[in-house]
Amino acid sequence: MKFNDFKTEALVTVENSCRQLFMTNRTRFKIKNEELAVKNYEILTNVTLKLCKEKGFQAMSIRDLSKESGLSLGALYYYFSGKDEIVHFLHEQGHRFIQDILTKKTAGIKNPALKLEMAIRSHIFLSEVAPDWFFFFFMETKNLANDMRTIPVLSEIWVEQFFIDILAEGKKANVFSYDNSSLIGAAIKSLLQDWYLKRWRYMQRGITVEQYADFVISIIESYIKPVKKKK
Amino acid sequence: MKFNDFKTEALVTVENSCRQLFMTNRTRFKIKNEELAVKNYEILTNVTLKLCKEKGFQAMSIRDLSKESGLSLGALYYYFSGKDEIVHFLHEQGHRFIQDILTKKTAGIKNPALKLEMAIRSHIFLSEVAPDWFFFFFMETKNLANDMRTIPVLSEIWVEQFFIDILAEGKKANVFSYDNSSLIGAAIKSLLQDWYLKRWRYMQRGITVEQYADFVISIIESYIKPVKKKK
DNA sequence: GTCTATAGCCGGATAGAC
DNA sequence: GTCTATCCGGCTATAGAC
């Protein structure tokens, strides 16, 4: 799988994510015009992510959001009930996002090693397609009130479990050998996260997404593959 | 090296860090009484870290800091010129901290493999002794103004380079085999960070610092050790 | 649905008494 | 050195015209 192919495929999802948001919450929302809603939610999503990347969610004011989006202060409150709800929407969309891609991309792959590779590659590529989104997802979780943290925490655990399950399949099929799947799952997650948390470092060094994905795959495989070769 | 031994050794440094802060900036500071200064900087450091862990630096108000520290609003401004300076102090101290421990602990170790192990273990143990500090160091960097970000960025690069140097020594001595030291350096950093960024996950699963350190060492070594064994 | 204007609050920083 | 009182700017959220 090449990154560019992945990108063209995945972009559709980004656009439609806001429509899905609207459909799901249709009754609760003040705006009723679907096309308008989708268009503006898309703008708001992008602007929010951009501003949060620059200064963080707490420091981003509704006034900033208004200025950058072109919508007035009053109009904004037609799209959400308050600042907190923006975070909630973004988290909701982000979670669905990752879940969809990982399951879709690995569906039907029988060979555990190939499945693991595909899962790792998809996750890294996805975070390259929407880096701000992932950055937000990670950074704007830690300091939230407890009830706002449920989605990110569930998502975190879901992804980790997704990898642990693949590891288990591989062990069963005698393709992998290890005795601490939860640590390996955590390590995979950590390496996936590094790509979007330290993007600037990798850019600085001219490392491409594809190189990074290959590297993560090789380091994990070298740890879990039963040693057979001789040098 | 056992964690408990490390802990008793390292704690001294935590206490004296504030004294060093005072000595270095003596001329600039309004407070002149050394003992008083050190005592209160220590309180302020701890309270700040605690509050930042709970709600983040942006959301922490000077009023919060006043309430929790027992010092009045006015008194606080005797200890720093503004909110931004607090971050700066903490970053300064934190950087010195890590640098000191890593160099001190690995000094005199000739064998690259042992040196790498010691460096990894020390870093993880240190972040276990002062988790809030590391958490702060990581989280409260991203959304800062550019000129406030210099210390953390330098620190980041310094640590990475520290590991890359050890890797290079090992390669030269034919103990390690690899061809992408900067990626491995980044991977090590990423795994070290995971311990303090996702502390709750590891606690949940009953994984101890020592187990985690062993795991990180084993995964890295499995990747860089020249393959000789047969199974 | 979108705008402008404004209510009402909160936070950083300072003044000045002790 | 530490306190209380206060200024003032900026923020979220709402009211009400269009």
Side-chain angles (χ1 to χ4, degrees), chain A residues 201-218:
Chain A
R201 280 300 275 154
Y202 293 106
M203 296 301 108
Q204 243 178 15
R205 304 180 153 184
I207 294 164
T208 67
V209 226
E210 272 153 359
Q211 286 170 337
Y212 188 73
D214 287 341
F215 169 71
V216 173
I217 290 169
S218 72

Side-chain angles (χ1 to χ4, degrees), chain B residues 11-160:
Chain B
L11 267 184
V12 191
T13 331
V14 184
E15 284 176 42
N16 290 3
S17 174
C18 290
R19 170 159 279 114
Q20 199 162 354
L21 172 74
F22 177 75
M23 306 294 264
T24 324
N25 300 283
R26 188 156 225 164
T27 49
R28 269 171 55 218
F29 284 0
K30 284 190 200 156
I31 349 97
K32 295 299 168 193
N33 181 329
E34 177 171 336
E35 289 318 310
L36 189 60
V38 172
K39 190 194 104 203
N40 280 331
Y41 274 120
E42 212 181 319
I43 293 173
L44 290 174
T45 301
N46 289 328
V47 171
T48 305
L49 291 176
K50 185 192 156 215
L51 290 172
C52 286
K53 191 177 100 187
E54 285 165 17
K55 41 168 82 177
F57 180 74
Q58 305 258 21
M60 174 194 83
S61 70
I62 300 287
R63 283 168 162 85
D64 292 333
L65 195 54
S66 160
K67 248 170 269 167
E68 290 268 336
S69 68
L71 283 157
S72 73
L73 266 180
L76 288 181
Y77 284 88
Y78 225 75
Y79 290 84
F80 40 73
S81 65
K83 221 184 154 190
D84 283 352
E85 206 175 42
I86 307 179
V87 188
H88 183 70
F89 287 165
L90 284 173
H91 278 164
E92 221 171 52
Q93 291 179 82
H95 181 39
R96 197 173 30 226
F97 232 47
I98 302 173
Q99 235 176 327
D100 282 0
I101 289 278
L102 279 188
T103 41
K104 209 175 291 173
K105 279 292 186 181
T106 56
I109 303 182
K110 286 281 176 292
N111 181 329
L114 291 178
K115 193 167 177 182
L116 182 65
E117 285 181 26
M118 182 56 100
I120 290 175
R121 224 181 285 279
S122 300
H123 195 293
I124 294 176
F125 284 2
L126 184 61
S127 68
E128 175 69 9
V129 172
D132 294 352
W133 207 308
F134 277 77
F135 190 80
F136 175 91
F137 207 77
F138 184 90
M139 294 300 285
E140 308 303 345
T141 294
K142 308 284 170 187
N143 306 319
L144 254 36
N146 275 325
D147 58 329
M148 293 257 78
R149 236 184 337 222
T150 29
I151 297 179
V153 168
L154 287 179
S155 184
E156 171 92 18
I157 293 176
W158 185 90
V159 173
E160 208 174 294

Side-chain angles (χ1 to χ4, degrees), chain A residues 61-63 73 77 82-83:
Chain A
S61 70
I62 300 288
R63 280 170 163 83
L73 268 179
Y77 284 89
K83 222 183 151 189

Side-chain angles (χ1 to χ4, degrees), chain A residues 160-172:
Chain A
E160 208 174 296
Q161 193 59 47
F162 187 83
F163 282 101
I164 292 177
D165 288 345
I166 301 181
L167 291 171
E169 286 174 40
K171 191 172 188 177
K172 214 168 154 189

